[in-house]
Amino acid sequence: MYDTEIEQIRSKKPRMAICYDFDKTLSPDDMQTFTLIPSLGMDNTTFWKESNDLAVQNLMDKNLAWMQKLVVESKAKRKKLNREYFHAVGKNIKLYKGVQGWFERINKYGDQHGIEIQHYIISSGLKELLEGTSIAHEFKRIYASSYLYDADDVAEWPAQAVNYTNKTQYIFRIAKGIFEEYDERVNDSFSNAQLYIPYENIVYVGDSATDIPCMRLVKSKGGYAIGVFDPEKNNRKRVYQLFNDGRINFYAPADYSARSNLSKYMKQIINEIAAREAIKTEQAVMDIPAGAYKVYINTEEMKKMFLKEIPEREKKKLDKGLKDLKELIEGNID
C-alpha cells in the first residue's frame, strides 16, 4: 500500500559536491602571475609589490587592490580587458596531471554507486580566466573574483572579490541551493531535509592556509577536506601541518590520474557517502508505516483526553478515521 511513496524515496538520487580551490590545486601555477600579468607586458614582482602597497596604504582588500591595478595598468598600456581577452588567456592555464579526465571518471564512479556528483570552483582568482579553461564546462558553478563591465564589455570595476574568509559563504550557498551571489536567502535557516546537498556530502579540495576556513567549515559539519601538494616539488610542509591541526581528512599529491592516491581517497569518500545514503533511504522507507503508527497512537491519546467533550457525531467520525488509519499500518499493532 506504500508502493508509490517507497518508489519515490528509492528513485531519489542523493547529491554530492566536490569543491575545489584552483591555483596550486587544479593548476600548478598562479593564474594571474603566470598568465594574465605577463600577457599585459607587466613584471610580476613589480606588479604584486605595487598592488600590495596599494592595499596597505588604503586599508584595502588585497584582491580588490590587484583587480583595480589591472584595470589601471591595462588602460595605461591601451589594452582592453574584456571577457574575450580573459577567456583567451585562460586557455593557456596549465593543469595538473589527470585533471582533464578526472571529472568523467569520478562522475561515472559516483553514478555506479547511486550518487549524483556536482563540481564547484571556489577561488580567489579571476572568474573570467577560469571560464576560458578547457575544464570550465565541468563545473556547475565557478565562484571567483570577477569584474563589472561597461557598455563596450571592458572591465571597469570589481564586481566580486573572493578572499580566503568570504569563501565560506559559497559552501553555504551550495548546501542550500541558493547559488546567486546577490541572493540573501543564503542566511535563512534550513533544516537538514531542506538542504540541496547535505554538508556531510561536501568535499573541499585545497592546497594552502588560505583554504583553512572552508576546510574547517566543511569538516566541522561532517564533510571531508583534502589537502594537495605539487607532485614535482613534493613540499609537504603545509599538508602535514593541516593534517596535524585536524583541518583535513586526507592529503595527497595533486595527481588526478586514475590510479593516483587522490583518486583512491575520493572513491573511499564516495563509498562512505553511498553507504550512509543507503541507510538513510531505508530509514525513510521504514518511517512511512512507523510515522502512520505514531499519528494513530497520538490521536488515540488525544481522544482519551477529550472523550467527554467530543460530540457523539464527531466521535463516530473520529473512530472511523482511526479505524481507516489502523488498516493502513502494516502488521499487528495491538
Side-chain angles (χ1 to χ4, degrees):
M1 65 183 70
Y2 304 115
D3 289 350
T4 302
E5 292 90 339
I6 291 173
E7 184 180 351
Q8 288 176 346
I9 291 170
R10 294 197 187 282
S11 64
K12 186 178 179 181
K13 201 170 186 179
R15 298 188 187 99
M16 169 183 169
I18 305 177
C19 307
Y20 310 82
D21 179 38
F22 190 83
D23 292 342
K24 312 296 175 61
T25 297
L26 292 172
S27 168
D29 297 333
D30 175 272
M31 71 179 81
Q32 282 82 240
T33 300
F34 291 95
T35 56
L36 182 58
I37 296 171
S39 75
L40 291 170
M42 291 183 280
D43 175 70
N44 283 316
T45 303
T46 303
F47 176 87
W48 286 115
K49 183 182 183 307
E50 292 179 358
S51 172
N52 291 333
D53 287 346
L54 178 66
V56 171
Q57 292 163 8
N58 294 278
L59 301 178
M60 195 175 183
D61 180 277
K62 287 187 176 181
N63 284 48
L64 287 172
W66 68 253
M67 293 178 75
Q68 194 267 352
K69 185 166 178 58
L70 277 179
V71 171
V72 172
E73 293 291 340
S74 65
K75 288 180 179 178
K77 295 180 183 297
R78 304 184 68 82
K79 289 194 175 184
K80 288 186 178 181
L81 286 184
N82 54 27
R83 287 187 181 90
E84 184 180 357
Y85 179 78
F86 286 132
H87 291 174
V89 173
K91 290 179 181 179
N92 297 319
I93 293 177
K94 297 178 181 178
L95 301 171
Y96 276 122
K97 178 184 176 182
V99 169
Q100 291 286 1
W102 163 266
F103 305 97
E104 182 180 355
R105 287 194 303 272
I106 291 300
N107 291 348
K108 183 178 179 180
Y109 190 84
D111 190 59
Q112 290 170 346
H113 290 74
I115 302 293
E116 176 191 340
I117 298 179
Q118 298 178 359
H119 304 271
Y120 298 83
I121 285 181
I122 305 176
S123 169
S124 297
L126 197 60
K127 182 177 182 179
E128 289 85 339
L129 289 180
L130 295 171
E131 289 173 338
T133 64
S134 59
I135 58 171
H137 65 283
E138 303 285 3
F139 302 97
K140 182 174 177 65
R141 285 274 173 160
I142 295 176
Y143 290 116
S145 302
S146 60
Y147 280 107
L148 171 70
Y149 294 85
D150 64 18
D152 297 318
D153 198 38
V154 176
E156 63 176 358
W157 197 261
Q160 291 287 337
V162 178
N163 59 41
Y164 70 98
T165 52
N166 68 21
K167 271 186 172 185
T168 55
Q169 70 160 297
Y170 302 109
I171 300 295
F172 291 111
R173 290 193 179 281
I174 291 164
K176 297 177 180 181
I178 308 296
F179 297 114
E180 301 299 339
E181 288 88 341
Y182 57 79
D183 197 331
E184 295 182 356
R185 289 179 301 160
V186 71
N187 297 313
D188 293 351
S189 177
F190 279 60
S191 68
N192 288 337
Q194 292 175 309
L195 291 175
Y196 177 74
I197 297 178
Y199 290 103
E200 60 189 16
N201 289 8
I202 296 178
V203 183
Y204 185 88
V205 185
D207 71 288
S208 68
T210 59
D211 297 305
I212 286 176
C214 284
M215 290 172 168
R216 182 174 55 193
L217 172 62
V218 169
K219 200 163 177 285
S220 71
K221 287 184 171 291
Y224 308 83
I226 301 176
V228 296
F229 56 90
D230 191 305
E232 292 186 7
K233 296 177 182 176
N234 200 24
N235 187 338
R236 305 190 182 199
K237 179 180 177 180
R238 287 195 187 102
V239 293
Y240 284 159
Q241 189 64 52
L242 290 170
F243 189 79
N244 288 334
D245 290 343
R247 307 295 195 190
I248 54 178
N249 303 87
F250 301 97
Y251 58 82
D255 176 356
Y256 293 80
S257 56
R259 298 184 182 278
S260 67
N261 281 341
L262 187 56
S263 287
K264 180 178 74 172
Y265 298 148
M266 192 62 73
K267 288 178 180 179
Q268 288 175 349
I269 291 171
I270 294 170
N271 292 343
E272 186 168 64
I273 290 175
R276 186 169 59 236
E277 288 293 339
I279 291 172
K280 287 162 66 175
T281 296
E282 294 308 312
Q283 290 174 334
V285 168
M286 288 188 284
D287 188 56
I288 298 173
Y293 172 72
K294 184 178 181 180
V295 172
Y296 175 78
I297 291 299
N298 288 343
T299 306
E300 277 278 22
E301 291 297 321
M302 292 290 290
K303 174 189 168 184
K304 290 176 183 178
M305 289 174 61
F306 300 101
L307 184 61
K308 294 180 180 180
E309 302 173 22
I310 302 175
E312 190 63 28
R313 184 176 177 181
E314 296 301 319
K315 182 177 177 296
K316 289 180 180 180
K317 288 183 180 179
L318 182 58
D319 287 340
K320 184 179 183 307
L322 283 168
K323 182 181 178 182
D324 292 341
L325 180 58
K326 187 176 181 181
E327 290 176 356
L328 290 175
I329 301 171
E330 294 177 338
N332 186 355
I333 61 171
D334 293 326

